[in-house]
Amino acid sequence: TSYRGDASQMTGAGLGTDGSANTSGIVTAASFVPTAGQFFSERNKFINGEFRIFQRGDVVSTTDKQITGIGGAGTNYTADHWVLYTQNTGARFTVRRVNGDHPDGFGQSLKITCTTADTSLAANEEVQFFQKIEGFDTQDFAKGTSSAKQYTLSFYAKSTKTGTYVVRLLGRHNTNRCVSASYTISDTNWNRYVITFPADTSIVDNPDATESLRVVWWLVAGSTVNSGSLQTTWINSTDTGAATGQVNFADSTSNIIYFAGCQLEVGDVATPFERRRYVRDLEDSYRYYRRWKAGVEGVTYYDQTNDPASATTLAQGAIIDADDALTTRWLNPPMNHKPEVETATDVRLATGQALYDSSTTLQENRSSQDHLNLHWDNGGGMGSAGDFYRLIFKTSSGDFSVEAEI
């Protein structure tokens, strides 16, 4: 049965399992029940999909942050929870969060620029842009069961380097499984790309805080992975067919690619990008990384006033003896696991208006997921055991960060 026209007086109408309804008006119903796991909130599996959080970046303007000189071999964190992975490449890249170039409805995008070209790729040369997702957050894909769901990836991109690009899902729990798909950038405008990957009825994801899924955008692919037929069905992890057809994004210093509005969700439909409050993105990012930098976002330091009391407190605690102190700080939200200290530059211990301006180095990390507990070694002369002390920055070079990336 079909109906076309004014349905404003219709009640009790239903749709078959393969039906759809389109209207420019208002739909009223007693309830909405999604059938493919696509809830109205919490659809997007990515953290920081708008690239608004970029704690590791160096400030280059009032709005932009960037990291330069990425290349060689390494796992290079850029915008929070996003990695530019490089393997055996002579190319170099700058990654920058920009405010001035983005799709309508967004405030930022992530810009990757090739700054040193590599036109002759080694067989094992790779450049990947990816995010890791925890097992706790992938359970509704029902991977490894007869009820397994499809994965739909959507994102905005534009590039000066047109051609075929490849994206890949890489399972990380139990036996690594993978599947790839391609998309074509045919112009230099912003476009939204939608890719649906098949369900995987083999190998379950563990419900835990470790990496269960990696979503990879290929940028450079040597012949080891850029060979054979593109692997568009799930298979135990293999290099052959992982990135077949991928253009060489590193073949010119004119090459630039932008990303915005990245979303991964359950099912075969790409819904509109899920908007989250800024503070939600920030707190989700804090689960993996925290950084305090002198002069950035209100963090003050001793040299500004020559008064330790006016410097931002990074942590606080008490001295153990004349050259040792223990400082603590609660972590809210708790981090993914016990954090490691990534950077501790130009930190000092202070009490009241007294600065102990001697070498302050980390001696032991006794932290837990929700609590920084750090033992510092100082040059001496600090006072009596139990006296209250604060950890602060001395100069504008101060930089303190902790990480618990998966």
Side-chain angles (χ1 to χ4, degrees):
T1 301
S2 63
Y3 180 85
R4 185 180 299 273
D6 181 6
S8 60
Q9 302 303 312
M10 290 181 65
T11 61
L15 294 172
T17 57
D18 60 348
S20 62
N22 298 300
T23 179
S24 59
I26 297 173
V27 176
T28 302
S31 63
F32 290 93
V33 182
T35 59
Q38 290 173 322
F39 301 101
F40 294 104
S41 63
E42 304 299 327
R43 302 187 313 279
N44 193 359
K45 301 302 180 181
F46 288 133
I47 290 172
N48 196 26
E50 291 185 74
F51 306 107
R52 294 187 291 187
I53 316 301
F54 201 145
Q55 295 184 80
R56 286 181 172 90
D58 295 322
V59 176
V60 291
S61 74
T62 56
T63 58
D64 293 7
K65 290 184 174 182
Q66 71 178 17
I67 298 174
T68 62
I70 296 175
T75 299
N76 308 282
Y77 282 92
T78 58
D80 277 49
H81 215 48
W82 290 95
V83 171
L84 186 66
Y85 171 80
T86 54
Q87 177 177 294
N88 192 32
T89 181
R92 293 295 182 268
F93 304 91
T94 291
V95 179
R96 180 167 178 157
R97 184 195 68 191
V98 296
N99 274 38
D101 199 334
H102 49 75
D104 292 344
F106 290 86
Q108 294 86 18
S109 66
L110 197 76
K111 176 183 179 182
I112 303 174
T113 303
C114 177
T115 56
T116 300
D118 187 348
T119 59
S120 181
L121 301 182
N124 65 343
E125 189 166 344
E126 298 179 6
V127 179
Q128 307 169 9
F129 181 57
F130 66 71
Q131 183 169 131
K132 306 173 185 178
I133 302 174
E134 286 185 30
F136 283 135
D137 297 327
T138 60
Q139 294 305 300
D140 45 350
F141 288 106
K143 188 173 181 291
T145 74
S146 59
S147 302
K149 305 293 193 299
Q150 293 167 289
Y151 302 70
T152 293
L153 175 67
S154 57
F155 57 96
Y156 294 85
K158 80 169 190 175
S159 180
T160 59
K161 177 67 175 178
T162 58
T164 299
Y165 288 76
V166 175
V167 288
R168 188 190 200 197
L169 302 185
L170 179 61
R172 301 293 287 171
H173 277 169
N174 304 306
T175 301
N176 290 348
R177 302 267 292 169
C178 61
V179 61
S180 296
S182 64
Y183 64 102
T184 300
I185 295 180
S186 57
D187 57 46
T188 58
N189 303 319
W190 279 107
N191 294 289
R192 192 185 192 208
Y193 299 89
V194 175
I195 299 166
T196 297
F197 294 90
D200 184 17
T201 56
S202 299
I203 312 301
V204 299
D205 288 339
N206 300 332
D208 62 27
T210 64
E211 180 190 5
S212 70
L213 179 66
R214 185 175 300 183
V215 184
V216 177
W217 283 258
W218 287 93
L219 296 177
V220 175
S223 60
T224 300
V225 293
N226 195 346
S227 60
S229 299
L230 188 65
Q231 187 59 53
T232 57
T233 58
W234 286 94
I235 190 174
N236 289 350
S237 185
T238 178
D239 284 337
T240 302
T244 303
Q246 170 66 42
V247 298
N248 179 11
F249 177 75
D251 66 4
S252 171
T253 55
S254 298
N255 293 344
I256 301 170
I257 191 167
Y258 297 81
F259 292 103
C262 296
Q263 181 158 290
L264 179 72
E265 55 194 311
V266 175
D268 61 355
V269 176
T271 63
F273 182 78
E274 181 184 349
R275 304 292 176 170
R276 293 176 177 170
R277 295 176 61 216
Y278 176 84
V279 70
R280 168 64 189 280
D281 274 351
L282 188 63
E283 289 182 350
D284 283 350
S285 297
Y286 281 171
R287 177 165 167 78
Y288 305 96
Y289 186 76
R290 292 291 304 269
R291 185 187 189 191
W292 298 264
K293 185 166 173 57
V296 177
E297 296 178 347
V299 176
T300 55
Y301 51 95
Y302 171 80
D303 277 359
Q304 288 175 301
T305 62
N306 291 328
D307 179 7
S310 67
T312 297
T313 300
L314 305 173
Q316 59 190 19
I319 67 170
I320 301 169
D321 54 36
D323 61 355
D324 291 277
L326 189 66
T327 62
T328 65
R329 181 188 181 107
W330 289 105
L331 297 169
N332 184 24
M335 301 191 80
N336 176 272
H337 54 271
K338 172 187 172 180
E340 298 296 329
V341 175
E342 183 178 81
T343 308
T345 302
D346 213 20
V347 295
R348 295 291 189 273
L349 291 163
T351 183
Q353 292 184 315
L355 175 73
Y356 289 86
D357 191 12
S358 56
S359 175
T360 303
T361 57
L362 182 64
Q363 184 164 311
E364 186 179 2
N365 181 358
R366 305 172 182 174
S367 302
S368 61
Q369 284 179 269
D370 61 356
H371 189 212
L372 273 183
N373 192 347
L374 304 173
H375 180 180
W376 300 92
D377 182 70
N378 193 261
M382 287 195 296
S384 303
D387 288 351
F388 177 78
Y389 274 75
R390 300 161 52 236
L391 187 71
I392 65 172
F393 289 135
K394 183 189 177 187
T395 73
S396 59
S397 299
D399 196 349
F400 179 59
S401 61
V402 294
E403 67 87 15
E405 302 283 1
I406 54 176

